[in-house]
Amino acid sequence: DSRRILFAAACPGNAEPNAIWTASPDGQNLRQTSLRNSFNLDNLDSPGGMISLDQWVPHPDRLLLPRLAGDVAYIGSLPIFADGMAANGPFERITYGVGSEERVSASANGRLVLTSASRDSRVWGLSIDGNGKALGEPRELTAGLSDGLRGLSRDARFLAYASGLRNRALYLKDLTTGRQRAISPKAFALGAARFNATGTQVLFDVFASADVARLGWNAARLGVYEAPTSGGVPEVKHPPFENGELSDLLGHDKILYG
């Protein structure tokens, strides 16, 4: 009925991340709802880790929005009370696509329009000669649905890559043996990964999902880790200033922060 607006935001002075608010169109009557409790923010099961409220549908009142199941985004419905202050039932799945579905809108007669995209993202390798010409065909190095390059050791033995849409993790793959393992905590966001000169250590930075869920993305601290490529538990490093991003490893394994 256009008398109230629902939106998700991290408002100044409010420590709760991804809080959901209601207000009148003129910006008055701002109130925090309890709808955030209906979302599994410990696992950040919204695309991009943020709550997207696509449409408030009346009769009966419910929210239409995208959610994540593994690496697949689907459209769901959350029943709410007429004042928008709280959920009125469990979350219900509407679509069962195999791609990434988002930006849903509904008409008065119940027809839904949405965006659906199906895509794979993997890391490939291509050997080149001294003149930059290709030697043979590209070779697929990872097999996930959403993989992204983060770093390659100087001897080309170890590959660091991020994988996953929900709670991404940094993986280390030995391109000689084919063995790979996760080396980071589940992440809201992953930065760069840099190897030392001999390829025995890899450094990387990450916003841990658990920290973002607990503190909010604007209060969580960027963590810098160092892990041996031969195996073992990553060690937390302490950059010289808060939230300094790892830029590169210089000569003598000095760390460059940005």
Side-chain angles (χ1 to χ4, degrees):
D1 56 13
S2 300
R3 292 182 299 174
R4 290 173 302 280
I5 298 171
L6 276 173
F7 61 96
C11 293
N14 187 280
E16 187 174 29
N18 272 332
I20 300 177
W21 305 77
T22 179
S24 55
D26 60 3
Q28 303 300 312
N29 303 316
L30 177 66
R31 293 188 295 170
Q32 184 176 346
T33 75
S34 65
L35 291 172
R36 179 184 181 276
N37 299 330
S38 300
F39 298 89
N40 187 11
L41 291 186
D42 288 337
N43 287 327
L44 297 173
D45 56 357
S46 290
M50 302 295 291
I51 297 174
S52 173
L53 308 177
D54 284 355
Q55 190 168 351
W56 184 346
V57 181
H59 313 303
D61 288 86
R62 59 202 182 278
L63 294 176
L64 300 179
L65 65 162
R67 307 303 288 154
L68 280 177
D71 282 345
V72 175
Y74 64 91
I75 301 300
S77 170
L78 179 67
I80 61 174
F81 288 102
D83 61 1
M85 292 298 295
N88 191 25
F91 193 83
E92 301 172 355
R93 184 166 181 166
I94 296 177
T95 64
Y96 288 84
V98 296
S100 179
E101 298 173 348
E102 56 189 21
R103 299 302 179 193
V104 59
S105 183
S107 64
N109 64 3
R111 176 169 293 180
L112 296 179
V113 177
L114 55 92
T115 298
S116 180
S118 180
R119 55 186 179 268
D120 294 340
S121 174
R122 298 189 175 108
V123 179
W124 293 70
L126 177 65
S127 298
I128 58 175
D129 61 19
N131 296 318
K133 294 184 178 181
L135 298 174
E137 297 296 322
R139 182 167 61 99
E140 192 174 74
L141 302 179
T142 68
L145 296 178
S146 182
D147 299 339
L149 176 67
R150 288 297 183 270
L152 182 69
S153 64
R154 298 178 191 180
D155 60 3
R157 176 175 177 178
F158 293 102
L159 170 73
Y161 69 97
S163 184
L165 284 176
R166 171 172 130 173
N167 286 333
R168 291 166 69 81
L170 185 71
Y171 286 80
L172 181 68
K173 182 172 184 177
D174 187 330
L175 298 179
T176 301
T177 65
R179 294 178 181 175
Q180 60 185 20
R181 61 188 175 99
I183 58 174
S184 79
K186 295 296 184 180
F188 176 81
L190 284 165
R194 297 291 184 262
F195 292 86
N196 64 358
T198 57
T200 58
Q201 300 287 124
V202 58
L203 280 90
F204 56 93
D205 48 30
V206 56
F207 277 107
S209 295
D211 291 343
V212 174
R214 179 171 52 90
L215 302 172
W217 64 268
N218 55 342
R221 182 172 179 176
L222 182 71
V224 178
Y225 297 81
E226 182 177 18
T229 54
S230 60
V233 179
E235 176 187 353
V236 178
K237 307 295 289 186
H238 299 285
F241 49 88
E242 188 172 346
N243 284 346
E245 294 185 8
L246 172 65
S247 295
D248 207 346
L249 289 181
L250 305 178
H252 307 291
D253 295 336
K254 291 183 179 180
I255 302 172
L256 178 66
Y257 291 98

